[in-house]
Amino acid sequence: MKDSTIPTLLGIAIILVGIIDGALFIKNSQIFKISAANQNKPENVRVSNIGERSFTVSWTTQERSLGFVRWGVSSMSLSKTALDTIKNTSYIHYVNVGGLSPDKKYYFKINSNGADFDNNGLAWQLNTAPAILSKPESNIISGNVLTQYGSPAQDVLVYAVVGGGSFLSTLTSSNGDWVIPISATRTKSLDSYVLINDSSTPIEIFVQSGTEVSSAQMYPSSAKPAPPMVLGKIYNFRSTPLQDLGEIPKANIYLPTIQ
């Protein structure tokens, strides 16, 4: 009788230890997941290139991650997805959302490494631009971005504000090149196009990599193409030479953020 009791008590003890260890493992796993989610949280969320049938969402993350955008015409039904232009894990994320209707409200959330993120409990929202029958003549600016070591800066965000109008953006190519059709610039209300004078309309450019930025002021005539921009420097291509900075510069351009 005594011999059969000892294994039973021992078995119960082993089970209790297993339950405690399991609880600790689950607790630690939850902490790990929360920490990982915070590191993958989208930062510097910005909407640009708002047109009649499309818009662009860009953001950065503290860790390399994969991302996409869930979107729809209702905040309660984000049933469609748009994938990141950058296919590999990255600190930079750039998603084009297309196939939309003019002058219509859309909602979206960002998925980063499998977790959905929103705007403090609500989906982000925006209105597409109203339809305009008469389109302006094509006007394109371009340039090149280099790292501090002189190599091409690939997959870097380039933002532009032309004549105080709506927000434009693009990504650099594998050669560090960028191209932006400034003729697509609308006023902030999106109901008309900005009138552009190549010799006098101010352009502000802001470049953002994972850890470094650069900014420049120019006119359209000096951006066809613009002189190369090196990350970590501020430029004025209108009149003054570049400034060498020992730290990451603050942008001269006001970048609207929707965080």
Side-chain angles (χ1 to χ4, degrees):
M1 185 70 175
K2 185 181 294 184
D3 292 341
S4 62
T5 305
I6 294 174
T8 302
L9 293 175
L10 181 61
I12 293 173
I14 292 173
I15 292 172
L16 288 174
V17 170
I19 292 173
I20 293 171
D21 287 344
L24 289 174
F25 175 78
I26 292 172
K27 182 179 180 181
N28 290 335
S29 297
Q30 289 172 337
I31 293 173
F32 174 78
K33 288 179 181 178
I34 292 172
S35 175
N38 285 339
Q39 291 172 345
N40 293 315
K41 178 182 178 181
E43 299 177 342
N44 303 307
V45 179
R46 298 185 175 99
V47 174
S48 57
N49 303 331
I50 301 177
E52 298 172 9
R53 300 188 180 278
S54 62
F55 64 87
T56 301
V57 183
S58 57
W59 70 93
T60 62
T61 49
Q62 293 182 17
E63 282 195 348
R64 289 183 175 275
S65 61
L66 295 172
F68 63 89
V69 167
R70 300 185 191 275
W71 64 276
V73 295
S74 167
S75 61
M76 304 302 293
S77 179
L78 305 177
S79 58
K80 298 184 179 181
T81 58
L83 302 180
D84 198 335
T85 302
I86 302 174
K87 303 305 179 184
N88 300 319
T89 58
S90 176
Y91 302 106
I92 299 293
H93 305 275
Y94 194 80
V95 176
N96 292 310
V97 180
L100 312 180
S101 299
D103 199 16
K104 190 169 184 176
K105 183 173 289 185
Y106 289 91
Y107 301 83
F108 71 89
K109 293 182 180 180
I110 294 173
N111 186 286
S112 181
N113 265 15
D116 281 344
F117 293 88
D118 55 29
N119 186 23
N120 296 319
L122 300 173
W124 285 284
Q125 60 179 287
L126 75 152
N127 274 76
T128 51
I132 300 177
L133 296 179
S134 178
K135 308 295 182 183
E137 184 179 345
S138 177
N139 196 343
I140 296 174
I141 62 172
S142 61
N144 182 266
V145 181
L146 302 172
T147 68
Q148 293 185 0
Y149 303 100
S151 58
Q154 180 180 357
D155 290 337
V156 167
L157 293 165
V158 180
Y159 299 104
V161 173
V162 182
S166 58
F167 206 33
L168 303 177
S169 72
T170 190
L171 277 178
T172 57
S173 69
S174 58
N175 296 322
D177 297 328
W178 58 267
V179 176
I180 295 179
I182 60 173
S183 49
T185 305
R186 296 206 182 202
T187 57
K188 289 183 178 179
S189 63
L190 302 177
D191 57 4
S192 62
Y193 289 101
V194 171
L195 297 177
I196 297 175
N197 184 306
D198 269 14
S199 60
S200 62
T201 299
I203 299 177
E204 295 180 280
I205 299 290
F206 176 71
V207 178
Q208 183 173 25
S209 71
T211 57
E212 296 176 301
V213 300
S214 179
S215 66
Q217 297 178 341
M218 61 189 72
Y219 296 119
S221 58
S222 60
K224 298 181 178 182
M229 296 174 62
V230 177
L231 291 170
K233 296 181 183 291
I234 293 177
Y235 299 85
N236 186 340
F237 294 135
R238 295 183 297 182
S239 59
T240 59
L242 65 87
Q243 304 174 35
D244 287 304
L245 300 176
E247 58 183 13
I248 295 176
K250 294 183 179 179
N252 293 336
I253 182 176
Y254 168 70
L255 293 176
T257 178
I258 57 173
Q259 272 192 302

